[in-house]
Amino acid sequence: MIDALGSVGSLLLVGGTSDIAVATAHRYLRERPLRVVVAARDTPRRAAVADQLSAAGGSVEVVDFDADDPGSPERMLARVAAGGDVDVALVAFGQLGNAEQLRSDAAAVAQLARVNYVVPTVVGTVLAEHMRRQGHGVIVALSSVAGERPRASNFVYGSTKAGLDAFYSGLSDSLAGSGVSVLVVRPGFVRSKMTAGMPDAPLATTPEAVAEAIVSGIRRGRHTVWVPGAMRVVMSVLRHVPRPVFRRLPI
Amino acid sequence: MVEALPAPPVDRRFLAGWGRTAPTPAELVGVRTAEDVRAAVRRAGGRGVAARGLARSYGDAAQNAGGTVLDMAGLDQVRQVDLAAGAVEVDAGVPLDRLMSLLVPMGLFVPVTPGTRYVTVGGAIAADIHGKNHHQAGSFCQHVDWLDLLTADGQVRRVSPDADPELFWATAGGMGLTGVVLAARVRMKRIESSQVLVDTDRTPDLASLMALLTETDHLYDYSVAWIDCVARGRRMGRSVLTRGRFARRDELPEKKQRDPLRYATSVKLSAPDLFPPGLLNLGTVAAFNEVWYRKSPTRKRDQLQGIPTFFHPLDGVGEWNRIYGPRGFVQYQFVVPFGAEEALREAMLRISSAGTASFLAVLKRFGPANPGPLSFPAPGWTLALDIPVGGSRLATLLDELDQLVVEAGGKIYLAKDSRLRPEVFERMYPDLGRFRAVRQRVDPDGVFTSDLARRLSL
Ligand SMILES: Cc1cc2nc3c(=O)[nH]c(=O)nc-3n(C[C@H](O)[C@H](O)[C@H](O)COP(=O)(O)OP(=O)(O)OC[C@H]3O[C@@H](n4cnc5c(N)ncnc54)[C@H](O)[C@@H]3O)c2cc1C
Ligand SMILES: NC(=O)c1ccc[n+]([C@@H]2O[C@H](COP(=O)([O-])OP(=O)(O)OC[C@H]3O[C@@H](n4cnc5c(N)ncnc54)[C@H](OP(=O)(O)O)[C@@H]3O)[C@@H](O)[C@H]2O)c1
């Protein structure tokens, strides 16, 4: 249960090896020990993350999750539920894709749409159903500012995030009165595995900053957070920039 | 022909405790008979059942996210008053308030009363509540001859300190997790008048307060001190100590002797629903405390006070919990053993220097413990204080206090708790194993549960 002062007892990371997910678990573990479930593909990094989080004081469980396997979300959640209630679930898996390839490779586009949009909606649905039965819980979805107004340079990725964002925003409303809430997180450029080797975009931030925004967003019962906070204003301006100008912007 | 009773009403609702924090939704079932309770327990789904009295516990004890909650207030018959033995048989939903109205005029007082009379007998048993007389009389369940407990199998068992003592004591303070208390026989306290003879002493700091309590507590039936939590430095722990006992009839003034057991209560005003958050800040609280301290007599003897004034001053304001605003508040109550006075001082120091706007803290010396594995009172000092929710430091401050308390061999009171964590709780209640063994026996599938039970992995 999330207690009277907003402390969390159990955290599920779907895409548990994501830098943002790991930073969020560390951020919570800095306050208190808690149950952390790392749901991810079976990789050496998953084992390393589990060790790291245990060392930080978590009681860590590892569960298989693979977005390329259609039965995976249900199986994953059944395993997690057997160990007790889920207070906070972070939907963090995702891929950036190769923009060059995505311009012409229809199969790659379909694949990215699956991992970044279709499977998150499946995961969101099973999580919501489970938490509705629990009568409590918070679902955190990692959207992106890229979904706010997709740019030519990575519009496929942007479009998947736009879809994900719309799904979780709607899910949030559909859960009103159930005791379950949804937090949609819209980070800008985050220096993580996903962006390794890429030059910083304006207002670049860190997984730790995103983690901080997630934790305080949950404490305050927010439905959306932007990271950094200034992104909100920037995007509301960009949204209204005329197309010919927008296309030429160096972003 | 017997007319079929209508099915008890079910209502899906968000429920919270007195502190109004962390509400969760549940099916609230109004029960009026043992049969209603049994039916609701049978029907319960995977999320189980919790009983709820008047929801005067501060945290999440009487709520059950996604499950069933039984509203016990409808199970409210006073079945029998045994004047010769000075005992009553009552349904679990009967409020102490009603027992007092009914029985004080007959010369009987509840054996133990908390700081509010709006608690049910079931809630009093489930939390094994204590009052100002703990050092003399122990806690509520020590005055219970037997109780009828509906367990997970749907059976009603009459348990007492002699018949299944393990189950009786696990139920005492067991926070409703052994089953639903349906009824109990409670031994009352005989009184000659409804007036309390009160001595008041103002003490300038914590050390003098503790010394006074240690030397003279045994001379009084009832005793409690209110401490100013805002005062710092030399004045830290300045307090007002009130102690007393019920007056004999011949100690009353002539006029009152004619009707010595007269008992009247009133709720004067109600706090409005929407107090703005932050109304209670350090400034307003400090000002209030200053006035309150100055107004109290330095030393006063044999003052006559009515039951509401002496025992339930806060009940004069209905729903005063709303003054803390929509974010609600927590109460932190712990006990540390005699000999751990340093830990108590340290806790006071940290609380007063954290600048959390807490009104007044209540300090009391506990007497001996009883065998209840989850019963709270234990020989030592207990301190209780309200703190409004707000500020990210509060969670950390209280976690640090937990550490201090547990290392001093102390514990937190579950009826007041809304934020303790399981590993620390386990260390505070070393007899938890005994409690779990009983629960394993009478409720192996964990039908009885609550948000508190889940939070603490009870
Ligand atoms: C202003 C104020 C002052 C207080 N002062 C004191 C004090 O001095 N000393 C003290 O000890 N406590 C004190 N309390 C706490 C209070 O006495 C306890 O929380 C008590 O349990 C409340 O009873 P309730 O009927 O409201 O029960 P609830 O708060 O509704 O429930 C409390 C627990 O009892 C269980 N329960 C309720 N009914 C039953 C039943 N029939 N069968 C099984 N389980 C049941 C619930 O499941 C829950 O776990 C105070 C509270 C307030 C608000
Ligand atoms: N970085 C940014 O700039 C940025 C900005 C806005 C939003 N976001 C979003 O934030 C989320 C977390 O990103 P991050 O920055 O933490 O990047 P990250 O460290 O690369 O995390 C993404 C994770 O997704 C997992 N994943 C990818 N494909 C998967 C699949 N098929 N099945 C299971 N897991 C899969 C990966 O797990 P493996 O270990 O198994 O590969 C990887 O750990 C993503 O949704 C991302 O889109 C990122």
Side-chain angles (χ1 to χ4, degrees), chain B residues 77-376:
Chain B
Q77 301 299 306
V78 175
R79 299 180 182 182
Q80 199 196 344
V81 180
D82 183 344
L83 279 177
V88 286
E89 282 181 39
V90 288
D91 283 351
V94 171
L96 296 193
D97 175 51
R98 200 136 69 69
L99 280 186
M100 290 180 211
S101 303
L102 185 71
L103 298 173
V104 167
M106 300 183 197
L108 295 176
F109 190 60
V110 290
V112 169
T113 177
T116 173
R117 56 185 178 272
Y118 300 111
V119 304
T120 63
V121 168
I125 291 170
D128 192 20
I129 61 168
H130 57 270
K132 294 182 180 188
N133 58 349
H134 186 272
H135 63 295
Q136 303 283 20
S139 52
F140 195 87
C141 292
Q142 287 164 252
H143 305 269
V144 172
D145 280 334
W146 50 253
L147 53 88
D148 283 344
L149 187 70
L150 188 136
T151 43
D153 53 9
Q155 268 189 56
V156 178
R157 311 171 192 220
R158 179 155 295 188
V159 293
S160 73
D162 303 315
D164 205 342
E166 278 296 302
L167 183 52
F168 179 85
W169 288 113
T171 304
M175 303 309 283
L177 300 175
T178 56
V180 181
V181 178
L182 297 176
R185 181 178 162 97
V186 181
R187 289 189 306 280
M188 304 288 285
K189 175 189 172 77
R190 290 195 195 277
I191 51 175
E192 280 187 32
S193 86
S194 59
Q195 300 293 307
V196 186
L197 269 179
V198 183
D199 289 354
T200 305
D201 293 87
R202 217 164 77 170
T203 64
D205 55 33
L206 194 59
S208 50
L209 170 65
M210 290 167 82
L212 189 59
L213 277 167
T214 306
E215 284 154 26
T216 59
D217 227 13
H218 64 280
L219 302 174
Y220 297 86
D221 286 346
Y222 298 98
S223 120
V224 77
W226 296 72
I227 305 185
D228 178 356
C229 276
V230 183
R232 300 193 197 183
R234 266 186 307 111
R235 296 181 312 165
M236 188 186 90
R238 67 176 181 178
S239 53
V240 177
L241 172 62
T242 55
R243 293 169 296 171
R245 62 171 171 82
F246 276 97
R248 290 190 309 273
R249 184 179 177 157
D250 60 19
E251 288 170 318
L252 300 182
E254 193 89 27
K255 214 178 89 210
K256 285 200 164 148
Q257 288 198 19
R258 261 173 268 143
D259 188 6
L261 290 165
R262 193 186 131 74
Y263 176 69
T265 63
S266 65
V267 175
K268 289 189 191 64
L269 54 141
S270 213
D273 194 0
L274 286 174
F275 270 94
L279 173 74
L280 292 186
N281 55 46
L282 216 51
T284 54
V285 171
F288 172 88
N289 285 6
E290 191 65 36
V291 171
W292 158 85
Y293 183 75
R294 300 259 161 248
K295 213 186 72 184
S296 305
T298 321
R299 184 174 191 280
K300 188 154 191 168
R301 290 291 172 268
D302 294 335
Q303 187 192 11
L304 282 177
Q305 286 185 359
I307 288 168
T309 308
F310 184 71
F311 290 106
H312 315 119
L314 289 169
D315 285 346
V317 184
E319 307 205 302
W320 59 263
N321 57 336
R322 292 174 186 276
I323 74 170
Y324 286 99
R327 282 192 294 185
F329 65 110
V330 298
Q331 181 163 102
Y332 194 73
Q333 180 171 5
F334 64 88
V335 59
V336 290
F338 294 127
E341 285 74 16
E342 205 30 61
L344 178 68
R345 271 194 70 80
E346 175 66 24
M348 283 284 312
L349 188 68
R350 287 196 205 168
I351 291 160
S352 61
S353 46
T356 53
S358 171
F359 254 114
L360 297 166
V362 174
L363 182 77
K364 157 131 203 88
R365 269 178 98 245
F366 274 152
N370 67 34
L374 291 193
S375 176
F376 171 65

Side-chain angles (χ1 to χ4, degrees), chain A residues 14 73 76-77 91 93 117-132 139 141 167-168 171 175 182:
Chain A
V14 189
M76 179 263 308
L77 198 68
V91 183
F93 63 94
Y117 172 70
V118 176
V119 182
T121 64
V122 174
V123 169
T125 304
V126 295
L127 277 174
E129 189 43 33
H130 178 69
M131 287 187 174
R132 205 183 274 125
I139 301 172
F167 174 83
Y168 280 96
L171 182 67
L175 287 166
V182 177

Side-chain angles (χ1 to χ4, degrees), chain A residues 92-108:
Chain A
F93 63 94
Q95 295 171 7
L96 191 55
N98 177 331
E100 201 53 50
Q101 181 193 10
L102 290 166
R103 218 182 291 275
S104 54
D105 184 341

